Amino acid sequence: MSTPLEPQASAPDVLTFGETMLALRGSGPLKLGGAMQVSVAGAESNVAIGLGRLGHRVRWAGAVGEDEAGELVLRTLRAEGVDVSGASRDAEAPTGLILFEPRLPEVTRVHYYRSGSAGSRLKACAVEAAFTAAPPKALHLTGITPALGSAPRCAARRALSLAREHSTLVCLDVNFRSRLWSSEEAASVLREWMPYVDVLIASDDELPLCLPADAPRDLGEQAKLLLDLGIGEVVVKYGADGAAVHTAEGELRSPARTVQAVDPVGAGDAFVAGYLSALLDGEDAAARLDRAVTTGAFAVASRGDWEGAPTRAELPLLGAASGTVVR
């Protein structure tokens, strides 16, 4: 049974929810043993931390087990300024676990232990309570949460309905995970969600999951179809090749920022945090893309899911010349 943690706080800029897991990062092959670094990881909480560091009020309404791993998740989010008043503890299920196993300089294997976890049992009523207590300006969802099971899928669907009732902006990051569900399963859910979405963020190969099976293959035409469905802007991530935003006014592209890549994990979530941050600040499309590729670059240049996310004061650092000492 899930129970709320504490009284609801004031209205946030952004509400998000999903599964955040205990994260263990090995120094090499797991079968050889050795030391592991302990942290937490979850797409939605990565975005929440990124937004919090940029000065926004964020509420995370996921579920964790009544265990020490759950304590670490909540302690970490609180320490990063994220409101967890909408979160819940599940006495009958554990907090999920993710293991990172470096195998080659640029290859890391990921092992999930999340079946039957607290996050996979997140109830719609918990999300409803977190939403209606103080409706947010924006709701951020990912395609990971509905892939966890029927309960979190219903919770996400309820959140979309509440967002429409309260005129809350909806941002969806497709974030397709083939190890959680098939492309056919994802498409059946995501296509139903499109009429509720205001800002769609996806990599170029994820857009077809949001469109009818007979949609054209040309990316520009795909974006136009999505805009015709009522989506305000379609943001496409191209990784090292930057990103683009499609709106009724046309397409605008931005190159990626050049950094020494250390760890790509969490870069997409950092990108989303930067884009949403600039959107909340009322910036135009060019500034939104610029902040997004900047925050994404910080993540790529740092190890961990969220640890490298910049503060607002740090955003100009990537514009400094290489080797410059910033005093």
Side-chain angles (χ1 to χ4, degrees):
M1 180 177 179
S2 297
T3 55
L5 289 175
E6 53 195 64
Q8 300 290 326
S10 59
D13 294 324
V14 178
L15 169 67
T16 189
F17 59 90
E19 181 170 38
T20 297
M21 299 163 284
L22 177 71
L24 301 180
R25 293 178 175 273
S27 56
L30 290 176
K31 63 185 178 184
L32 299 181
M36 303 196 80
Q37 181 180 0
V38 182
S39 185
V40 303
E44 298 82 8
S45 55
N46 292 345
V47 173
I49 289 172
L51 284 166
R53 289 191 180 181
L54 292 170
H56 301 282
R57 300 188 308 277
V58 191
R59 176 175 297 154
W60 180 80
V64 296
E66 285 192 353
D67 47 32
E68 291 302 293
E71 289 288 350
L72 177 61
V73 168
L74 298 174
R75 180 176 181 272
T76 300
L77 291 175
R78 286 192 188 101
E80 291 294 333
V82 176
D83 171 13
V84 296
S85 63
S88 57
R89 302 292 294 267
D90 191 329
E92 300 173 0
T95 302
L97 171 66
I98 183 171
L99 302 180
F100 294 95
E101 178 189 20
R103 291 300 288 118
L104 295 170
E106 296 183 359
V107 177
T108 296
R109 291 197 295 207
V110 177
H111 307 274
Y112 291 113
Y113 298 87
R114 63 200 308 178
S115 178
S117 67
S120 70
R121 291 156 47 98
L122 178 65
K123 301 296 191 294
C125 57
V127 171
E128 184 175 67
F131 196 111
T132 56
K137 295 178 183 177
L139 169 69
H140 173 62
L141 299 176
T142 77
I144 297 175
T145 300
L148 298 177
S150 59
R153 190 175 305 172
C154 289
R157 185 64 180 78
R158 179 57 178 147
L160 288 171
S161 297
L162 288 167
R164 172 163 290 184
E165 291 175 20
H166 293 275
S167 299
T168 295
L169 180 140
V170 174
C171 173
L172 171 65
D173 181 6
V174 173
N175 225 332
F176 175 65
R177 294 289 185 268
S178 61
R179 293 173 62 180
L180 295 178
W181 59 351
S182 68
S183 57
E184 292 77 17
E185 290 174 309
S188 68
V189 171
L190 297 176
R191 288 168 186 167
E192 180 186 316
W193 284 12
M194 288 304 103
Y196 295 86
V197 176
D198 298 294
V199 179
L200 178 67
I201 301 178
S203 58
D204 54 345
D205 60 344
E206 291 174 332
L207 284 184
L209 297 175
C210 306
L211 290 163
D214 59 352
R217 294 188 176 183
D218 179 76
L219 192 145
E221 293 183 24
Q222 291 177 350
K224 185 179 184 304
L225 281 176
L226 290 164
L227 293 172
D228 289 343
L229 290 174
I231 296 173
E233 46 200 278
V234 178
V235 184
V236 184
K237 299 177 289 185
Y238 294 103
D241 293 324
V245 56
H246 298 260
T247 66
E249 285 70 45
E251 177 188 5
L252 179 66
R253 295 194 64 139
S254 174
R257 287 192 175 274
T258 302
V259 294
Q260 182 175 345
V262 173
D263 183 0
V265 176
D269 302 327
F271 177 97
V272 172
Y275 195 89
L276 261 179
S277 169
L279 184 64
L280 289 165
D281 286 349
E283 301 285 359
D284 62 18
R288 296 198 295 271
L289 277 181
D290 182 69
R291 189 176 299 179
V293 298
T294 299
T295 51
F298 268 94
V300 169
S302 310
R303 296 196 183 281
D305 273 51
W306 51 267
E307 286 83 349
T311 63
R312 189 174 289 259
E314 291 173 330
L315 288 175
L317 289 180
L318 284 183
S322 177
T324 297
V325 176
V326 181
R327 300 184 184 278

